[in-house]
Amino acid sequence: MRGYVDENLCVACGLCAQACPEGFRMGEQGVAEGYRELPDYAIDDALQAAEDCPVGAIRIGK
Ligand code: SF4
């Protein structure tokens, strides 16, 4: 499982990188990116980040 960010929707609020740094970081383009496979312990945080993203830009999947 990993997080995917729709870079066309992301408004760079930083919430996901804060809530789940194991799965998200702010990329060089200034928007968030899901940068690696989620460790099991971080999946709940990633799902929460997806739910809390103000623009619905995050999808969690394979
Ligand atoms: S929470 Fe959503 S809008 Fe905010 S940085 Fe992450 S992907 Fe972008």
Side-chain angles (χ1 to χ4, degrees):
M1 299 275 272
R2 60 180 295 158
Y4 297 91
V5 174
D6 184 333
E7 59 189 33
N8 294 312
L9 292 178
C10 176
V11 294
C13 72
L15 184 151
C16 57
Q18 249 180 359
C20 183
E22 296 88 349
F24 299 97
R25 66 184 175 194
M26 302 311 288
E28 289 177 7
Q29 309 301 322
V31 294
E33 61 184 5
Y35 68 100
R36 66 163 175 155
E37 191 75 10
L38 288 162
D40 285 346
Y41 67 84
I43 289 176
D44 281 352
D45 285 347
L47 290 169
Q48 190 66 51
E51 200 173 304
D52 291 345
C53 172
V55 292
I58 298 173
R59 180 175 70 80
I60 309 297
K62 300 246 180 203

Short mmCIF file of all heavy atoms in Angstrom, two decimals:
data_model
loop_
_atom_site.label_atom_id
_atom_site.label_comp_id
_atom_site.label_asym_id
_atom_site.label_seq_id
_atom_site.Cartn_x
_atom_site.Cartn_y
_atom_site.Cartn_z
N MET A 1 0.84 -1.19 0.00
CA MET A 1 0.00 0.00 0.00
C MET A 1 0.88 1.25 0.00
O MET A 1 1.88 1.29 0.67
CB MET A 1 -0.88 0.04 1.26
CG MET A 1 -1.81 -1.11 1.41
SD MET A 1 -3.33 -0.81 0.51
CE MET A 1 -4.27 0.04 1.76
N ARG A 2 0.39 2.23 -0.73
CA ARG A 2 1.06 3.51 -0.68
C ARG A 2 0.07 4.63 -0.98
O ARG A 2 -1.05 4.36 -1.41
CB ARG A 2 2.26 3.57 -1.62
CG ARG A 2 1.93 3.37 -3.08
CD ARG A 2 3.17 3.44 -3.92
NE ARG A 2 3.76 4.78 -3.88
CZ ARG A 2 5.03 5.05 -4.16
NH1 ARG A 2 5.87 4.08 -4.44
NH2 ARG A 2 5.48 6.29 -4.13
N GLY A 3 0.49 5.84 -0.74
CA GLY A 3 -0.38 6.97 -0.99
C GLY A 3 -0.06 7.58 -2.35
O GLY A 3 1.10 7.65 -2.74
N TYR A 4 -1.10 8.01 -3.03
CA TYR A 4 -0.94 8.71 -4.30
C TYR A 4 -1.59 10.07 -4.18
O TYR A 4 -2.71 10.19 -3.68
CB TYR A 4 -1.61 7.91 -5.42
CG TYR A 4 -1.00 6.56 -5.64
CD1 TYR A 4 -1.49 5.44 -4.97
CD2 TYR A 4 0.08 6.40 -6.50
CE1 TYR A 4 -0.92 4.20 -5.15
CE2 TYR A 4 0.65 5.15 -6.70
CZ TYR A 4 0.15 4.06 -6.02
OH TYR A 4 0.73 2.83 -6.20
N VAL A 5 -0.89 11.08 -4.64
CA VAL A 5 -1.41 12.44 -4.58
C VAL A 5 -1.69 12.94 -6.00
O VAL A 5 -0.82 12.84 -6.87
CB VAL A 5 -0.40 13.38 -3.90
CG1 VAL A 5 -0.86 14.83 -3.97
CG2 VAL A 5 -0.19 12.97 -2.44
N ASP A 6 -2.88 13.46 -6.20
CA ASP A 6 -3.20 14.12 -7.47
C ASP A 6 -2.61 15.52 -7.42
O ASP A 6 -3.12 16.41 -6.73
CB ASP A 6 -4.72 14.17 -7.66
CG ASP A 6 -5.09 14.75 -9.02
OD1 ASP A 6 -4.31 15.56 -9.57
OD2 ASP A 6 -6.18 14.40 -9.52
N GLU A 7 -1.52 15.71 -8.11
CA GLU A 7 -0.79 16.98 -8.01
C GLU A 7 -1.58 18.15 -8.61
O GLU A 7 -1.27 19.31 -8.37
CB GLU A 7 0.58 16.87 -8.67
CG GLU A 7 0.54 16.49 -10.13
CD GLU A 7 1.91 16.18 -10.68
OE1 GLU A 7 2.76 15.66 -9.91
OE2 GLU A 7 2.15 16.47 -11.86
N ASN A 8 -2.58 17.83 -9.39
CA ASN A 8 -3.42 18.91 -9.96
C ASN A 8 -4.44 19.42 -8.94
O ASN A 8 -5.00 20.50 -9.12
CB ASN A 8 -4.13 18.43 -11.21
CG ASN A 8 -3.15 18.12 -12.32
OD1 ASN A 8 -2.27 18.91 -12.61
ND2 ASN A 8 -3.29 16.96 -12.93
N LEU A 9 -4.67 18.62 -7.91
CA LEU A 9 -5.63 19.02 -6.88
C LEU A 9 -4.93 19.58 -5.64
O LEU A 9 -5.46 20.45 -4.96
CB LEU A 9 -6.49 17.83 -6.45
CG LEU A 9 -7.48 17.28 -7.49
CD1 LEU A 9 -8.21 16.06 -6.91
CD2 LEU A 9 -8.47 18.34 -7.91
N CYS A 10 -3.77 19.04 -5.32
CA CYS A 10 -3.08 19.40 -4.07
C CYS A 10 -2.86 20.91 -3.98
O CYS A 10 -2.40 21.54 -4.93
CB CYS A 10 -1.73 18.67 -4.03
SG CYS A 10 -0.72 19.12 -2.60
N VAL A 11 -3.19 21.47 -2.80
CA VAL A 11 -2.98 22.90 -2.57
C VAL A 11 -1.82 23.14 -1.59
O VAL A 11 -1.67 24.23 -1.04
CB VAL A 11 -4.27 23.58 -2.05
CG1 VAL A 11 -5.35 23.56 -3.12
CG2 VAL A 11 -4.79 22.92 -0.77
N ALA A 12 -1.02 22.09 -1.40
CA ALA A 12 0.23 22.22 -0.64
C ALA A 12 0.03 22.71 0.79
O ALA A 12 0.82 23.49 1.29
CB ALA A 12 1.22 23.13 -1.38
N CYS A 13 -1.02 22.22 1.45
CA CYS A 13 -1.27 22.65 2.82
C CYS A 13 -0.32 21.97 3.81
O CYS A 13 -0.14 22.44 4.92
CB CYS A 13 -2.72 22.37 3.21
SG CYS A 13 -3.08 20.62 3.44
N GLY A 14 0.25 20.85 3.42
CA GLY A 14 1.22 20.17 4.26
C GLY A 14 0.64 19.19 5.27
O GLY A 14 1.38 18.53 6.00
N LEU A 15 -0.67 19.12 5.32
CA LEU A 15 -1.32 18.28 6.34
C LEU A 15 -0.89 16.81 6.24
O LEU A 15 -0.58 16.18 7.25
CB LEU A 15 -2.84 18.41 6.18
CG LEU A 15 -3.74 17.71 7.17
CD1 LEU A 15 -5.04 18.48 7.30
CD2 LEU A 15 -4.02 16.28 6.75
N CYS A 16 -0.87 16.28 5.06
CA CYS A 16 -0.57 14.84 4.92
C CYS A 16 0.85 14.53 5.34
O CYS A 16 1.10 13.50 5.99
CB CYS A 16 -0.84 14.36 3.49
SG CYS A 16 0.07 15.27 2.23
N ALA A 17 1.78 15.41 5.01
CA ALA A 17 3.17 15.18 5.39
C ALA A 17 3.36 15.26 6.90
O ALA A 17 4.22 14.60 7.46
CB ALA A 17 4.07 16.19 4.68
N GLN A 18 2.52 16.07 7.53
CA GLN A 18 2.56 16.16 8.98
C GLN A 18 1.90 14.95 9.63
O GLN A 18 2.41 14.39 10.60
CB GLN A 18 1.81 17.42 9.44
CG GLN A 18 2.71 18.45 10.01
CD GLN A 18 1.96 19.69 10.46
OE1 GLN A 18 0.74 19.79 10.34
NE2 GLN A 18 2.70 20.64 10.98
N ALA A 19 0.77 14.56 9.09
CA ALA A 19 -0.02 13.49 9.71
C ALA A 19 0.61 12.12 9.46
O ALA A 19 0.48 11.21 10.28
CB ALA A 19 -1.44 13.50 9.15
N CYS A 20 1.28 11.98 8.35
CA CYS A 20 1.85 10.67 7.98
C CYS A 20 3.17 10.85 7.23
O CYS A 20 3.26 10.60 6.04
CB CYS A 20 0.85 9.90 7.11
SG CYS A 20 1.40 8.24 6.69
N PRO A 21 4.20 11.26 7.97
CA PRO A 21 5.49 11.49 7.32
C PRO A 21 6.12 10.22 6.75
O PRO A 21 7.01 10.29 5.90
CB PRO A 21 6.35 12.10 8.44
CG PRO A 21 5.69 11.72 9.72
CD PRO A 21 4.23 11.60 9.41
N GLU A 22 5.64 9.07 7.23
CA GLU A 22 6.16 7.81 6.69
C GLU A 22 5.70 7.57 5.26
O GLU A 22 6.27 6.73 4.56
CB GLU A 22 5.70 6.63 7.55
CG GLU A 22 6.22 6.65 8.97
CD GLU A 22 5.31 7.43 9.90
OE1 GLU A 22 4.38 8.12 9.41
OE2 GLU A 22 5.52 7.38 11.12
N GLY A 23 4.65 8.29 4.85
CA GLY A 23 4.12 8.04 3.52
C GLY A 23 4.10 9.23 2.59
O GLY A 23 4.10 9.06 1.36
N PHE A 24 4.12 10.43 3.18
CA PHE A 24 3.98 11.63 2.36
C PHE A 24 5.07 12.64 2.70
O PHE A 24 5.48 12.75 3.85
CB PHE A 24 2.62 12.30 2.59
CG PHE A 24 1.46 11.42 2.22
CD1 PHE A 24 0.81 10.69 3.21
CD2 PHE A 24 1.04 11.30 0.92
CE1 PHE A 24 -0.26 9.86 2.89
CE2 PHE A 24 -0.02 10.47 0.58
CZ PHE A 24 -0.68 9.75 1.56
N ARG A 25 5.47 13.37 1.70
CA ARG A 25 6.39 14.48 1.91
C ARG A 25 6.06 15.55 0.88
O ARG A 25 5.40 15.28 -0.14
CB ARG A 25 7.84 14.03 1.77
CG ARG A 25 8.19 13.61 0.36
CD ARG A 25 9.60 13.08 0.27
NE ARG A 25 9.89 12.58 -1.07
CZ ARG A 25 10.93 11.83 -1.37
NH1 ARG A 25 11.78 11.48 -0.42
NH2 ARG A 25 11.13 11.42 -2.61
N MET A 26 6.55 16.75 1.15
CA MET A 26 6.37 17.82 0.18
C MET A 26 7.49 17.68 -0.84
O MET A 26 8.68 17.66 -0.50
CB MET A 26 6.40 19.19 0.87
CG MET A 26 5.32 19.35 1.96
SD MET A 26 3.66 18.84 1.44
CE MET A 26 3.26 20.21 0.32
N GLY A 27 7.11 17.58 -2.09
CA GLY A 27 8.09 17.33 -3.15
C GLY A 27 8.70 18.61 -3.70
O GLY A 27 8.34 19.72 -3.30
N GLU A 28 9.60 18.44 -4.62
CA GLU A 28 10.32 19.58 -5.18
C GLU A 28 9.40 20.52 -5.97
O GLU A 28 9.70 21.70 -6.13
CB GLU A 28 11.45 19.09 -6.09
CG GLU A 28 12.59 18.46 -5.30
CD GLU A 28 13.68 17.91 -6.21
OE1 GLU A 28 13.60 18.15 -7.43
OE2 GLU A 28 14.59 17.25 -5.69
N GLN A 29 8.29 19.99 -6.42
CA GLN A 29 7.35 20.83 -7.18
C GLN A 29 6.48 21.67 -6.25
O GLN A 29 5.64 22.45 -6.72
CB GLN A 29 6.44 19.96 -8.06
CG GLN A 29 7.16 18.96 -8.95
CD GLN A 29 8.13 19.64 -9.90
OE1 GLN A 29 7.84 20.71 -10.41
NE2 GLN A 29 9.30 19.04 -10.11
N GLY A 30 6.65 21.49 -4.95
CA GLY A 30 5.87 22.27 -4.00
C GLY A 30 4.57 21.62 -3.59
O GLY A 30 3.86 22.14 -2.75
N VAL A 31 4.24 20.50 -4.20
CA VAL A 31 3.04 19.77 -3.81
C VAL A 31 3.47 18.46 -3.13
O VAL A 31 4.62 18.05 -3.21
CB VAL A 31 2.11 19.48 -5.02
CG1 VAL A 31 1.55 20.77 -5.58
CG2 VAL A 31 2.84 18.68 -6.08
N ALA A 32 2.48 17.84 -2.48
CA ALA A 32 2.79 16.61 -1.75
C ALA A 32 2.99 15.44 -2.71
O ALA A 32 2.49 15.44 -3.83
CB ALA A 32 1.66 16.30 -0.78
N GLU A 33 3.70 14.44 -2.21
CA GLU A 33 3.86 13.20 -2.96
C GLU A 33 3.87 12.02 -2.00
O GLU A 33 4.34 12.13 -0.87
CB GLU A 33 5.14 13.23 -3.81
CG GLU A 33 6.40 13.36 -2.97
CD GLU A 33 7.66 13.49 -3.80
OE1 GLU A 33 7.57 13.58 -5.04
OE2 GLU A 33 8.76 13.48 -3.21
N GLY A 34 3.30 10.92 -2.47
CA GLY A 34 3.42 9.67 -1.75
C GLY A 34 4.73 9.06 -2.22
O GLY A 34 4.86 8.71 -3.39
N TYR A 35 5.71 9.01 -1.35
CA TYR A 35 7.08 8.75 -1.83
C TYR A 35 7.58 7.34 -1.57
O TYR A 35 8.68 6.99 -1.99
CB TYR A 35 8.05 9.77 -1.25
CG TYR A 35 8.27 9.66 0.24
CD1 TYR A 35 9.41 9.03 0.75
CD2 TYR A 35 7.34 10.17 1.13
CE1 TYR A 35 9.62 8.92 2.10
CE2 TYR A 35 7.53 10.06 2.50
CZ TYR A 35 8.68 9.44 2.97
OH TYR A 35 8.87 9.33 4.33
N ARG A 36 6.78 6.53 -0.87
CA ARG A 36 7.27 5.18 -0.66
C ARG A 36 6.14 4.26 -0.18
O ARG A 36 5.06 4.72 0.19
CB ARG A 36 8.40 5.15 0.35
CG ARG A 36 7.96 5.55 1.75
CD ARG A 36 9.02 5.10 2.74
NE ARG A 36 8.71 5.56 4.09
CZ ARG A 36 9.15 4.95 5.17
NH1 ARG A 36 9.90 3.88 5.07
NH2 ARG A 36 8.84 5.40 6.36
N GLU A 37 6.45 3.01 -0.19
CA GLU A 37 5.52 2.00 0.32
C GLU A 37 5.26 2.28 1.80
O GLU A 37 6.19 2.57 2.55
CB GLU A 37 6.18 0.62 0.15
CG GLU A 37 5.27 -0.55 0.37
CD GLU A 37 4.30 -0.79 -0.77
OE1 GLU A 37 4.46 -0.17 -1.85
OE2 GLU A 37 3.38 -1.60 -0.58
N LEU A 38 3.99 2.21 2.19
CA LEU A 38 3.64 2.50 3.58
C LEU A 38 3.98 1.33 4.48
O LEU A 38 3.56 0.20 4.21
CB LEU A 38 2.15 2.77 3.70
CG LEU A 38 1.64 4.09 3.12
CD1 LEU A 38 0.13 4.01 2.90
CD2 LEU A 38 2.02 5.25 4.02
N PRO A 39 4.71 1.58 5.57
CA PRO A 39 4.86 0.52 6.57
C PRO A 39 3.48 0.23 7.18
O PRO A 39 2.63 1.13 7.23
CB PRO A 39 5.79 1.13 7.61
CG PRO A 39 6.08 2.51 7.22
CD PRO A 39 5.39 2.82 5.94
N ASP A 40 3.27 -0.98 7.62
CA ASP A 40 1.95 -1.37 8.16
C ASP A 40 1.47 -0.41 9.25
O ASP A 40 0.30 -0.04 9.28
CB ASP A 40 2.00 -2.79 8.73
CG ASP A 40 2.02 -3.83 7.63
OD1 ASP A 40 1.74 -3.47 6.47
OD2 ASP A 40 2.33 -4.99 7.93
N TYR A 41 2.38 -0.01 10.11
CA TYR A 41 1.98 0.83 11.25
C TYR A 41 1.53 2.22 10.82
O TYR A 41 0.92 2.95 11.61
CB TYR A 41 3.12 0.93 12.28
CG TYR A 41 4.35 1.68 11.79
CD1 TYR A 41 4.42 3.06 11.85
CD2 TYR A 41 5.44 0.99 11.27
CE1 TYR A 41 5.53 3.75 11.40
CE2 TYR A 41 6.55 1.65 10.82
CZ TYR A 41 6.60 3.04 10.89
OH TYR A 41 7.70 3.71 10.44
N ALA A 42 1.82 2.60 9.58
CA ALA A 42 1.48 3.96 9.12
C ALA A 42 0.22 4.00 8.26
O ALA A 42 -0.21 5.08 7.85
CB ALA A 42 2.66 4.54 8.34
N ILE A 43 -0.37 2.86 8.00
CA ILE A 43 -1.52 2.83 7.08
C ILE A 43 -2.72 3.60 7.65
O ILE A 43 -3.37 4.35 6.93
CB ILE A 43 -1.89 1.37 6.72
CG1 ILE A 43 -0.79 0.80 5.81
CG2 ILE A 43 -3.25 1.30 6.02
CD1 ILE A 43 -0.96 -0.65 5.46
N ASP A 44 -2.98 3.43 8.93
CA ASP A 44 -4.10 4.17 9.53
C ASP A 44 -3.88 5.69 9.41
O ASP A 44 -4.82 6.43 9.10
CB ASP A 44 -4.27 3.79 11.00
CG ASP A 44 -5.00 2.47 11.16
OD1 ASP A 44 -5.50 1.94 10.15
OD2 ASP A 44 -5.07 1.96 12.30
N ASP A 45 -2.66 6.13 9.65
CA ASP A 45 -2.36 7.56 9.53
C ASP A 45 -2.55 8.03 8.09
O ASP A 45 -3.04 9.14 7.84
CB ASP A 45 -0.92 7.85 9.97
CG ASP A 45 -0.75 7.79 11.48
OD1 ASP A 45 -1.77 7.77 12.20
OD2 ASP A 45 0.41 7.76 11.93
N ALA A 46 -2.16 7.19 7.15
CA ALA A 46 -2.31 7.56 5.74
C ALA A 46 -3.78 7.65 5.35
O ALA A 46 -4.20 8.56 4.62
CB ALA A 46 -1.58 6.54 4.86
N LEU A 47 -4.57 6.71 5.84
CA LEU A 47 -6.02 6.74 5.56
C LEU A 47 -6.65 7.98 6.16
O LEU A 47 -7.51 8.63 5.55
CB LEU A 47 -6.69 5.48 6.10
CG LEU A 47 -6.34 4.19 5.35
CD1 LEU A 47 -6.83 2.98 6.13
CD2 LEU A 47 -6.93 4.20 3.95
N GLN A 48 -6.20 8.33 7.36
CA GLN A 48 -6.71 9.54 8.01
C GLN A 48 -6.30 10.77 7.20
O GLN A 48 -7.11 11.70 7.01
CB GLN A 48 -6.17 9.63 9.44
CG GLN A 48 -6.81 10.71 10.28
CD GLN A 48 -8.29 10.46 10.54
OE1 GLN A 48 -8.65 9.38 10.97
NE2 GLN A 48 -9.14 11.43 10.25
N ALA A 49 -5.09 10.80 6.73
CA ALA A 49 -4.63 11.94 5.92
C ALA A 49 -5.47 12.07 4.66
O ALA A 49 -5.84 13.17 4.24
CB ALA A 49 -3.15 11.77 5.56
N ALA A 50 -5.80 10.93 4.06
CA ALA A 50 -6.62 10.96 2.85
C ALA A 50 -8.00 11.53 3.16
O ALA A 50 -8.57 12.29 2.37
CB ALA A 50 -6.74 9.55 2.27
N GLU A 51 -8.52 11.15 4.34
CA GLU A 51 -9.84 11.64 4.72
C GLU A 51 -9.80 13.14 5.03
O GLU A 51 -10.74 13.87 4.73
CB GLU A 51 -10.30 10.87 5.96
CG GLU A 51 -11.79 10.91 6.19
CD GLU A 51 -12.18 9.98 7.34
OE1 GLU A 51 -11.84 8.78 7.27
OE2 GLU A 51 -12.79 10.47 8.29
N ASP A 52 -8.69 13.58 5.62
CA ASP A 52 -8.59 14.97 6.06
C ASP A 52 -8.09 15.93 4.99
O ASP A 52 -8.20 17.15 5.17
CB ASP A 52 -7.65 15.06 7.27
CG ASP A 52 -8.24 14.40 8.51
OD1 ASP A 52 -9.46 14.13 8.50
OD2 ASP A 52 -7.48 14.14 9.46
N CYS A 53 -7.54 15.42 3.92
CA CYS A 53 -7.05 16.31 2.85
C CYS A 53 -8.20 17.22 2.40
O CYS A 53 -9.26 16.74 2.03
CB CYS A 53 -6.54 15.48 1.67
SG CYS A 53 -6.14 16.52 0.23
N PRO A 54 -7.99 18.54 2.46
CA PRO A 54 -9.09 19.47 2.19
C PRO A 54 -9.61 19.43 0.76
O PRO A 54 -10.72 19.91 0.50
CB PRO A 54 -8.48 20.84 2.52
CG PRO A 54 -7.01 20.64 2.42
CD PRO A 54 -6.75 19.22 2.84
N VAL A 55 -8.83 18.87 -0.14
CA VAL A 55 -9.27 18.85 -1.54
C VAL A 55 -9.43 17.44 -2.09
O VAL A 55 -9.62 17.25 -3.30
CB VAL A 55 -8.31 19.67 -2.43
CG1 VAL A 55 -8.40 21.15 -2.08
CG2 VAL A 55 -6.88 19.18 -2.30
N GLY A 56 -9.34 16.45 -1.22
CA GLY A 56 -9.55 15.07 -1.67
C GLY A 56 -8.54 14.60 -2.70
O GLY A 56 -8.88 13.85 -3.62
N ALA A 57 -7.29 15.02 -2.51
CA ALA A 57 -6.27 14.72 -3.52
C ALA A 57 -5.56 13.39 -3.29
O ALA A 57 -4.76 12.97 -4.13
CB ALA A 57 -5.23 15.85 -3.54
N ILE A 58 -5.86 12.73 -2.16
CA ILE A 58 -5.08 11.55 -1.79
C ILE A 58 -5.89 10.26 -2.00
O ILE A 58 -7.05 10.17 -1.62
CB ILE A 58 -4.66 11.62 -0.30
CG1 ILE A 58 -3.75 12.83 -0.10
CG2 ILE A 58 -3.95 10.33 0.12
CD1 ILE A 58 -3.42 13.09 1.36
N ARG A 59 -5.23 9.31 -2.58
CA ARG A 59 -5.79 7.97 -2.71
C ARG A 59 -4.77 7.00 -2.10
O ARG A 59 -3.56 7.15 -2.30
CB ARG A 59 -6.02 7.64 -4.19
CG ARG A 59 -6.61 6.28 -4.46
CD ARG A 59 -6.90 6.10 -5.94
NE ARG A 59 -5.66 6.00 -6.75
CZ ARG A 59 -4.93 4.90 -6.87
NH1 ARG A 59 -5.28 3.80 -6.24
NH2 ARG A 59 -3.84 4.89 -7.61
N ILE A 60 -5.29 6.04 -1.36
CA ILE A 60 -4.42 5.00 -0.80
C ILE A 60 -4.70 3.71 -1.56
O ILE A 60 -5.86 3.30 -1.70
CB ILE A 60 -4.71 4.76 0.70
CG1 ILE A 60 -4.71 6.08 1.49
CG2 ILE A 60 -3.72 3.77 1.30
CD1 ILE A 60 -3.39 6.80 1.50
N GLY A 61 -3.66 3.10 -2.07
CA GLY A 61 -3.90 1.87 -2.83
C GLY A 61 -2.60 1.15 -3.11
O GLY A 61 -1.55 1.46 -2.55
N LYS A 62 -2.68 0.16 -3.97
CA LYS A 62 -1.50 -0.64 -4.33
C LYS A 62 -0.72 0.05 -5.43
O LYS A 62 -1.28 0.75 -6.24
CB LYS A 62 -1.95 -2.01 -4.79
CG LYS A 62 -2.73 -2.73 -3.71
CD LYS A 62 -1.99 -3.94 -3.21
CE LYS A 62 -2.80 -4.63 -2.14
NZ LYS A 62 -2.03 -5.44 -1.26
S1 SF4 B 1 -3.32 17.18 2.57
FE1 SF4 B 1 -3.99 17.23 0.42
S2 SF4 B 1 -3.80 19.38 -0.19
FE2 SF4 B 1 -2.66 19.14 1.71
S3 SF4 B 1 -0.52 18.76 1.04
FE3 SF4 B 1 -1.51 16.75 1.32
S4 SF4 B 1 -2.33 16.20 -0.70
FE4 SF4 B 1 -1.88 18.38 -0.73
#
